[in-house]
Amino acid sequence: MSGLCKSFGTLQVLKGIDLQVLPRELIFIIGPSGSGKSTLLRCCNRLEEPTSGSIRIEGVDILAPGVDINLVRRRIGMVFQSFNLYPHLNALGNITLALRKVLKKSKTEADDIAFKALGRVGLSEKARTFPNELSGGQQQRVAIARALALEPAIMLFDEPTSALDPELVGSVLNVMRQMRESGMTMVVVSHEMRFARGAADRVIFMDEGVILEQGAPEKIFNEPDHPRIKEFLSSLEAK
């Protein structure tokens, strides 16, 4: 992305973001609440319309006039804080819905893809289970499986563990770790600093709509150049 800006009325939330994500890279975006992290992610699949700038995914400028945004979104998986599962559909049904309605897969083919996706997140035995019968961690893993089933080029995670009880966080992070090992390109907004230290290729620190610093996890967490990052990390440790 280049020169990405986003304003809500007179409030400028993103102030000219330049960021390149490489294939198979896991990028972690950290920073205080209100720094623009989630807005940045939502601009990447046009859930929010940027005010100006450009975003290119697989060579396609997704902000260009006439671009097929639905086609673009198939290549961009997104996992939210809330799981956004349909309560009246079981896990299998939640995953196969887009496969059948959007990709026009047959029921047999959609089911086969969905079972494989559930296997990737360790929930093969929960295919016929409804969301209200699943733990929060299991629901989030179904949501990840739903995104994976569409074979995206990149996965975006917006605080994927923030709605979970602490003991359920690990199961979701394990799935994300396995995705990284399998070569998925991922951009993650999260406060799971231990995960960022251990799994990220690059950590981006945002504050007040700009990228203050980016680099390898050991650099950002142990020797950041910007005093604002030291202040932010110290505040987390104090909690």
Side-chain angles (χ1 to χ4, degrees), residues 184-235:
M184 175 63 72
T185 306
M186 301 162 66
V187 181
V188 182
V189 168
S190 176
H191 291 294
E192 296 292 339
M193 298 301 160
R194 187 179 300 175
F195 182 64
R197 281 177 182 269
D201 295 301
R202 188 160 34 122
V203 176
I204 310 256
F205 185 87
M206 285 185 67
D207 192 23
E208 296 186 353
V210 299
I211 294 175
L212 286 187
E213 191 174 339
Q214 58 180 299
E218 54 269 22
K219 174 73 170 73
I220 298 299
F221 286 111
N222 299 333
E223 301 174 15
D225 295 328
H226 205 288
R228 180 70 183 93
I229 302 174
K230 297 175 184 175
E231 178 189 325
F232 172 76
L233 293 173
S234 296
S235 72

Side-chain angles (χ1 to χ4, degrees), residues 10 20 22 62 67 83 109 117 140 169 174 206 210 212 216 234:
T10 58
Q20 183 178 18
L22 301 175
I62 70 168
V67 72
F83 322 123
E109 190 177 5
Q140 190 60 294
V169 168
N174 283 338
M206 285 185 67
V210 299
L212 286 187
S234 296

Side-chain angles (χ1 to χ4, degrees), residues 100-120:
R100 291 188 294 109
K101 300 293 187 186
V102 178
L103 300 188
K104 306 301 181 186
K105 303 283 187 186
S106 68
K107 183 181 185 305
T108 302
E109 190 177 5
D111 284 356
D112 183 53
I113 293 169
F115 274 113
K116 287 176 181 173
L118 283 169
R120 287 185 69 179

Side-chain angles (χ1 to χ4, degrees), residues 4-7 42-44 46 48-53 55 63:
L4 195 71
C5 295
K6 174 62 180 177
S7 296
R42 292 172 69 85
C43 284
C44 287
R46 286 179 54 185
E48 297 288 356
E49 287 291 337
T51 306
S52 61
I55 302 173
L63 304 181

